[in-house]
Amino acid sequence: FGAVWVAVEMGGTPLEEFEHPLNCVYILGSEDNGLNTTILRACRHHVALPVQGDRLPSYNVAVSGAMLMYDREAKRRTKLLASKMHEMSTNGR
């Protein structure tokens, strides 16, 4: 299906800066052990969830998934709105 793998792991691109691929599968590891090296190497992208201060991120899989999906949808809507605004300005509306 052409979906790329995205590892959710510390040290990746910060979620705030990450551009979600159109077709992807997010790979989330366990709260204690994260993802193994073989899986990490197989992933085309690595994304890191936000942290608060100097505290290490330790979210359960449900929370991590919810954060990813919220960010993905918020960015999609922002792009859609920007595209519509641009279209309106170029059409003189």
Side-chain angles (χ1 to χ4, degrees):
F1 295 100
V4 297
W5 287 14
V6 177
V8 181
E9 189 78 1
M10 291 187 307
T13 303
L15 183 60
E16 299 86 7
E17 300 169 16
F18 186 69
E19 290 190 38
H20 299 269
L22 182 60
N23 297 314
C24 67
V25 175
Y26 297 99
I27 310 294
L28 299 100
S30 70
E31 190 174 347
D32 296 329
N33 301 318
L35 297 170
N36 70 43
T37 305
T38 304
I39 296 293
L40 286 172
R41 286 189 193 130
C43 294
R44 185 175 301 169
H45 302 284
H46 299 104
V47 61
L49 298 177
V51 296
Q52 292 292 324
D54 56 350
R55 183 177 168 204
L56 291 176
S58 181
Y59 304 109
N60 69 36
V61 173
V63 170
S64 297
M67 291 170 73
L68 285 163
M69 293 300 100
Y70 179 85
D71 185 75
R72 180 184 178 94
E73 181 62 12
K75 288 175 180 172
R76 185 191 71 81
R77 288 181 183 205
T78 299
K79 281 184 182 178
L80 183 62
L81 180 59
S83 175
K84 285 184 179 182
M85 295 295 285
H86 176 73
E87 183 180 315
M88 289 173 62
S89 69
T90 57
N91 290 334
R93 291 184 181 172

